[in-house]
Amino acid sequence: MRRPIALLAGLLIAGACALPASAADGDEDFTIKDPRITESSGLAASRQHPGIYWTHNDQDKGAYLYAVDSGTGETVATITMTGVGTPRDVEAISMGPDNEIYVGDIGDNDGVEWPYVWVYRLPEPKTLKDQTIRATQYVVKYSDGPRDAESLVVHPKTGRVYIIDKQEDRGHLYEAPAKLSATGTNVFKPITPVDLWATDAAFSPDGETLAVRGYFGGIAYDWNGGRLKRLERISVPLGQGESVSYSTDGTKIMLGSEGANSSVVAKDAPGDAGSADSSSGGGSSASGDGDGDSGRTGDLKVGAVAVLVACVVVLGFRRLVRHR
């Protein structure tokens, strides 16, 4: 009986070592390693593929989206969008209800004031592999004339689309019609000011908090049905800060930047959306290093408990065999 017991012990210990780490949930720092991704301008956490983040270049040679594994930093799938023409300046990506991806071709590279911009919508694939997916293209205009923008968000409950324009003094949150039209023009209207030179934004998974970031800082707002109420400031890493996303569980915000081998830094989510074990209710962290250490400490504790359980089971089997 020794051999089966030893085998059982090995399987149990291997299972303990294979327990999912926090990185598998996509809430730790990582580096985007794909050499094709040199201008990561948007970030969106996948709900059906834990630990996967969708990103894109702001100017690419095609309509491409990249699925990056936050555990390794490697690209695990590339989507080629069809049905969208030639993108101009893709600046944002967001996950909507029903695992649909929204892409904002809303920038104005080279200072061109486009009379209209585009939003693309496509289903997130159930299988992560290189593939071509047809997207729906929506024509977008602003009620008060052309403007530059880099932030597009989709409310996770209602599916309504919003854009924040990029202005040095302050921008505005623009609201889409309740339902986008693929045949007509969708006019976005300003509904409230945003006190930031915004480069990206993201909704918390429950849709109650809107995080907006810029190059030098960020602001968390209580969504309040679109009537924004300022909650707190968000500390952001130095650099060409271009993207922000919540982790799937809402405990972290992920702050990305442009450039080759660009880093994505995890920080505690603001307000009540922060870590469940924080008695202060979360808040932004000054450094991503502490977050990573606490996550790894938790993984070690879980692993140690699992190994202890395995030892107890093995000893129980031995005792059972002896009494037979």
Side-chain angles (χ1 to χ4, degrees):
M1 291 295 294
R2 288 182 180 177
R3 189 170 181 179
I5 291 174
L7 179 60
L8 175 62
L11 290 172
L12 288 170
I13 292 173
C17 295
L19 284 173
S22 59
D25 297 325
D27 58 4
E28 288 192 351
D29 299 359
F30 66 95
T31 299
I32 298 175
K33 299 178 180 178
D34 191 331
R36 297 172 298 174
I37 305 173
T38 57
E39 297 177 310
S40 175
S41 295
L43 202 65
S46 171
R47 300 188 191 105
Q48 64 177 338
H49 304 294
I52 297 297
Y53 285 85
W54 292 98
T55 190
H56 53 83
N57 288 312
D58 68 358
Q59 285 188 308
D60 220 329
K61 294 181 179 179
Y64 303 125
L65 303 178
Y66 306 94
V68 179
D69 185 341
S70 63
T72 64
E74 303 287 351
T75 297
V76 295
T78 300
I79 288 179
T80 302
M81 292 184 289
T82 61
V84 300
T86 302
R88 295 169 177 158
D89 184 6
V90 179
E91 291 287 356
I93 187 168
S94 181
M95 294 298 303
D98 302 321
N99 298 317
E100 289 194 308
I101 301 173
Y102 288 75
V103 181
D105 191 354
I106 55 178
D108 74 340
N109 270 336
D110 303 321
V112 178
E113 290 191 347
W114 304 109
Y116 58 87
V117 292
W118 296 309
V119 171
Y120 313 134
R121 177 178 59 86
L122 65 153
E124 182 185 34
K126 294 181 179 179
T127 302
L128 292 176
K129 62 180 181 179
D130 293 351
Q131 56 193 293
T132 298
I133 297 179
R134 186 170 186 82
T136 302
Q137 178 171 294
Y138 301 101
V139 175
V140 170
K141 288 187 176 182
Y142 302 99
S143 61
D144 50 358
R147 56 205 53 250
D148 183 22
E150 295 188 3
S151 310
L152 176 142
V153 291
V154 182
H155 196 278
K157 304 299 183 182
T158 67
R160 198 156 194 166
V161 181
Y162 299 85
I163 292 174
I164 301 172
D165 65 337
K166 183 182 179 184
Q167 298 196 47
E168 291 186 38
D169 49 358
R170 62 160 40 179
H172 283 81
L173 179 74
Y174 284 78
E175 184 180 65
K179 186 176 181 180
L180 294 178
S181 169
T183 57
T185 299
N186 299 275
V187 179
F188 281 54
K189 299 178 180 179
I191 58 173
T192 189
V194 174
D195 302 319
L196 202 67
W197 191 15
T199 60
D200 201 12
F203 274 113
S204 59
D206 60 10
E208 295 183 3
T209 304
L210 178 68
V212 185
R213 74 157 300 170
Y215 295 125
F216 308 110
I219 301 174
Y221 292 95
D222 178 6
W223 175 241
N224 191 35
R227 299 179 298 277
L228 301 181
K229 290 185 178 180
R230 185 167 173 154
L231 292 175
E232 62 185 80
R233 290 200 61 85
I234 298 172
S235 172
V236 303
L238 295 176
Q240 184 80 4
E242 291 282 350
S243 60
V244 63
S245 174
Y246 275 82
S247 60
T248 306
D249 63 6
T251 62
K252 300 288 183 180
I253 53 171
M254 314 297 291
L255 299 156
S257 58
E258 281 196 356
N261 295 309
S262 60
S263 62
V264 177
V265 177
K267 296 200 173 188
D268 287 341
D272 294 336
S275 177
D277 59 2
S278 172
S279 59
S280 63
S284 60
S285 167
S287 170
D289 295 339
D291 299 337
D293 290 343
S294 63
R296 283 187 286 273
T297 301
D299 297 336
L300 289 173
K301 288 179 180 178
V302 172
V305 170
V307 171
L308 179 61
V309 170
C311 292
V312 170
V313 172
V314 170
L315 290 174
F317 262 94
R318 285 184 175 177
R319 188 167 296 179
L320 178 63
V321 170
R322 287 174 184 171
H323 287 305
R324 279 191 169 184

